[in-house]
Amino acid sequence: MHYQGDYSWGYYMSTRSIGSDPMERVVKLASEKAVVIFSLSSCCMCHAMKRLFCGMGVNPTVYELDQDPRGKDLETALMRLLGNSQPVPVVFIGGKLIGAMDRVMASHINGTLVPLLKEAGALWL
Amino acid sequence: MANHRVGETGLTDSGPSSNHHHHHNIPYAVLHGMNVPPSFMHQEGSAFDFGELEEAIVLQGVKIRNDEAKPPLFTAGRPAATLEMFPSWPMRFQQTPRGSSKSGEESTDSGSGVNTISSKTENQVEPESPISKKTSSLDQQQQVEMASDISRTGTSQNQSAAAKTPQEKRRGSTSEKQLDAKTLRRLAQNREAARKSRLRKKAYVQQLESSRIKLTQLEQDLQRARSQGFFLGGCAGTVGNISSGAAIFDMEYSRWLEDDQRHMSELRTGLNAHLSDSDLRIIVDSYISHYDEIFRLKVAAAKADVFHLITGMWTTPAERCFLWMGGFRPSDLIKMLISQLDPLTEQQVMGIYSLQHSSQQAEEALTQGLEQLQQSLTDTIAGGPVIDGMQQMAVALGKLANLEGFVRQADNLRQQTLHQLSRILTVRQAARCFLMIGEYYGRLRALSSLWASRPRESMMSEDHSCQTTTELQMVQPSQNHFSNF
């Protein structure tokens, strides 16, 4: 379910200064936990995203970018990754980019979200 | 008022004055069997002088009671032909033998003069009807009284006859043939009343028909305008207060509804014709694309005017009852379909229930997100000392902008649900399923318009139907008219 092909991962993985590059930070953070949501505390759609996963019984890891000192950079990186002006909410499952709310919804409706969650160990039957 | 009434009897299109000859324009009072000087009958002018009429009737009554040889006041310059109003009578009267030559001459004159009138009125005879019978009996009652009065006074006189006719002559000439004249007069009056009633009834029915047509046309216009989202008096919005984005969407939506009908009939014929699966698949896919189109249109509409979508002003009232975030609730739709989709394989059943479950979860998530938006908005604009009002408003505006995102996500959910349905079901099942969906919303829309057009007393007070009802009142049976005299 890659959003934007392999271009972004390959390039950023090879650079040296992993920690300082916002995109690398995004990737790092995304792969640390089963379900990772990048959010803004004031964003209502992010709230909806969180409620969706909680409603399914998943315990997502949420990064509120407005509470991160380098949050702005991360937002920019996410904007580039998604290819639109809305950086959040965005979900990674098992380190893989799922996408924004519309992708998550579509995935849930067509029945592919739950298997992904199970695969990542975020859901047990 | 009088003119209006006369016109309403339906004999002329334009009231008392018309291009027709006077004998087509039998004045009001004449038809109601009242004593009227002949001048009234031949009036070409637009004004029908009720004052003169009343005077004539009053004086006639005086004349009858007094049995004096006084020339009536109103006949100055005009012959007092009291029986001119019974066009058919002179004909009959002419046939009966007359006592004096003078009266014979008079009757001949009157007969010739008035015969033309009667013959003309004969042309206007309409078939008998209950209403005319009823009114004619009423007329007869009045006319019988008048007839008896008149027969006492004298014969009719033509306007071409001498200006003044002595009372004695009239009295003398009728005394011998009083009985015959009386009966004949009565018969003539009855005939006349019946004829007049038939004409009145025809006019009344014509009025009813035209009013009915006007009403249905108005209703159609109203429905069309409503479906296009224009607010008429009584609705929530003010006239003209609809954004261009909303108006555009409403027009696109009404076109989409027309397309929907077409697709539905395609589905119906496809199912009934037992087409092959591949052929049916084409029809089903085109129906899904048809729905994709409305969701595409709604994206633009949400950007242009999100409130138009979220308040449901683009839909009908009954649909609005079930509105969720600017459209239908996917889990409700599945609930509606579940019982009708039998028979389903076990896998299909699981798929449908899983779809219902996931759509419910998604709906709940979006609803909670919207609730947080509302709370945040309230917090922004509610109470407290406003340090910087403009800043507060700007923040609130920013928050409001998020509404568009929620409506878009809701539409996305709806679209995904329909696609998933088509994946779970076989082609034939999907065709039936989409037909069911189309029919369901069609019925809901029909319910809305039935509700809007249901008969209510309050309808009478609305402007567009006010005219209709008053017009109808004008042409009612003439008990009212008699009471005035």
Side-chain angles (χ1 to χ4, degrees), chain B residues 147-422:
Chain B
S148 54
D149 292 338
I150 289 154
S151 60
R152 264 186 276 131
T153 51
T155 65
S156 74
Q157 288 178 17
N158 206 327
Q159 78 277 14
S160 55
K164 289 190 182 124
T165 312
Q167 289 272 16
E168 308 92 286
K169 261 190 202 150
R170 269 193 265 124
R171 251 185 299 167
S173 57
T174 51
S175 55
E176 303 101 79
K177 20 182 158 27
Q178 188 159 355
L179 286 168
D180 290 322
K182 204 174 183 175
T183 319
L184 290 163
R185 219 170 292 146
R186 213 170 286 148
L187 290 169
Q189 287 159 30
N190 291 351
R191 261 192 305 278
E192 191 49 44
R195 198 174 296 130
K196 183 207 58 124
S197 298
R198 282 192 295 272
L199 288 163
R200 256 211 320 265
K201 195 233 172 183
K202 188 191 180 194
Y204 177 63
V205 168
Q206 271 170 5
Q207 283 259 318
L208 271 175
E209 284 299 311
S210 63
S211 302
R212 193 177 61 84
I213 290 164
K214 204 178 7 171
L215 254 172
T216 49
Q217 269 171 5
L218 280 165
E219 271 172 11
Q220 277 169 17
D221 291 338
L222 203 69
Q223 267 318 108
R224 214 176 303 127
R226 280 216 183 106
S227 71
Q228 287 171 7
F230 294 107
F231 302 124
L232 301 175
C235 292
T238 51
V239 178
N241 193 20
I242 184 168
S243 74
S244 61
I248 288 166
F249 176 71
D250 284 344
M251 282 196 290
E252 288 170 332
Y253 178 60
S254 65
R255 220 178 296 136
W256 185 87
L257 282 174
E258 287 167 15
D259 279 347
D260 198 56
Q261 287 295 109
R262 208 177 16 92
H263 277 102
M264 293 236 295
S265 62
E266 262 181 41
L267 279 167
R268 230 176 262 123
T269 50
L271 280 167
N272 292 335
H274 299 286
L275 291 178
S276 69
D277 275 5
S278 53
D279 289 338
L280 208 55
R281 169 56 65 190
I282 294 167
I283 298 173
V284 168
D285 283 348
S286 80
Y287 195 71
I288 294 171
S289 310
H290 167 71
Y291 259 97
D292 286 344
E293 203 212 316
I294 191 65
F295 291 126
R296 235 188 342 266
L297 292 169
K298 285 182 86 181
V299 167
K303 207 169 309 238
D305 187 350
V306 68
F307 284 113
H308 185 69
L309 290 182
I310 212 167
T311 56
M313 293 320 294
W314 60 283
T315 57
T316 61
E319 289 174 287
R320 231 172 279 153
C321 269
F322 299 95
L323 200 80
W324 174 77
M325 233 174 262
F328 69 84
R329 190 184 274 270
S331 57
D332 279 351
L333 187 72
I334 295 163
K335 214 185 300 176
M336 186 270 295
L337 290 167
I338 261 177
S339 53
Q340 300 180 72
L341 285 171
D342 293 334
L344 296 169
T345 68
E346 199 173 306
Q347 192 182 25
Q348 284 179 323
V349 168
M350 275 175 58
I352 297 278
Y353 274 102
S354 151
L355 174 61
Q356 189 181 26
H357 185 59
S358 50
S359 67
Q360 273 169 341
Q361 284 175 330
E363 286 161 23
E364 184 57 33
L366 285 176
T367 304
Q368 288 191 21
L370 189 64
E371 274 173 20
Q372 209 212 33
L373 175 62
Q374 287 169 341
Q375 187 60 53
S376 166
L377 200 62
T378 306
D379 291 342
T380 306
I381 61 173
V386 175
I387 297 159
D388 185 351
M390 280 317 296
Q391 175 66 15
Q392 185 185 41
M393 284 301 168
V395 171
L397 276 173
K399 293 191 175 170
L400 260 186
N402 288 305
L403 273 176
E404 186 201 326
F406 278 98
V407 173
R408 278 192 59 176
Q409 290 306 326
D411 278 341
N412 176 43
L413 188 63
R414 289 183 261 265
Q415 188 179 22
Q416 294 303 321
T417 305
L418 290 173
H419 280 254
Q420 181 67 2
L421 265 175
S422 75

Side-chain angles (χ1 to χ4, degrees), chain A residues 41-45 47-49 51-52 55-57 86 101-103 105-111, chain B residues 355 357-359 361-362 365-366 368-370 372-373 376 402 405-406 409 412-413 416-417 420 423:
Chain A
S41 56
S42 60
C43 167
C44 321
M45 196 55 83
H47 181 76
M49 179 78 88
R51 295 259 42 91
L52 177 65
M56 287 192 279
Q86 292 268 0
M101 183 57 106
D102 54 347
R103 285 294 169 127
M105 289 263 168
S107 160
H108 192 32
I109 291 296
N110 68 27
Chain B
L355 174 61
H357 185 59
S358 50
S359 67
Q361 284 175 330
L366 285 176
Q368 288 191 21
L370 189 64
Q372 209 212 33
L373 175 62
S376 166
N402 288 305
F406 278 98
Q409 290 306 326
N412 176 43
L413 188 63
Q416 294 303 321
T417 305
Q420 181 67 2
R423 271 180 236 125

Side-chain angles (χ1 to χ4, degrees), chain B residues 100-128:
Chain B
S100 63
S101 59
K102 193 108 194 225
S103 63
E105 193 194 297
E106 282 169 8
S107 59
T108 315
D109 286 339
S110 65
S112 63
V114 185
N115 268 347
T116 50
I117 293 158
S118 67
S119 62
K120 290 283 196 301
T121 54
E122 295 272 32
N123 296 337
Q124 294 176 14
V125 171
E126 295 297 322
E128 279 289 345

Side-chain angles (χ1 to χ4, degrees), chain B residues 130-163:
Chain B
I131 293 170
S132 66
K133 280 196 187 107
K134 180 180 150 212
T135 52
S136 63
S137 64
L138 205 73
D139 290 342
Q140 284 163 25
Q141 211 180 3
Q142 304 263 0
Q143 284 170 354
V144 161
E145 289 176 68
M146 300 294 250
S148 54
D149 292 338
I150 289 154
S151 60
R152 264 186 276 131
T153 51
T155 65
S156 74
Q157 288 178 17
N158 206 327
Q159 78 277 14
S160 55

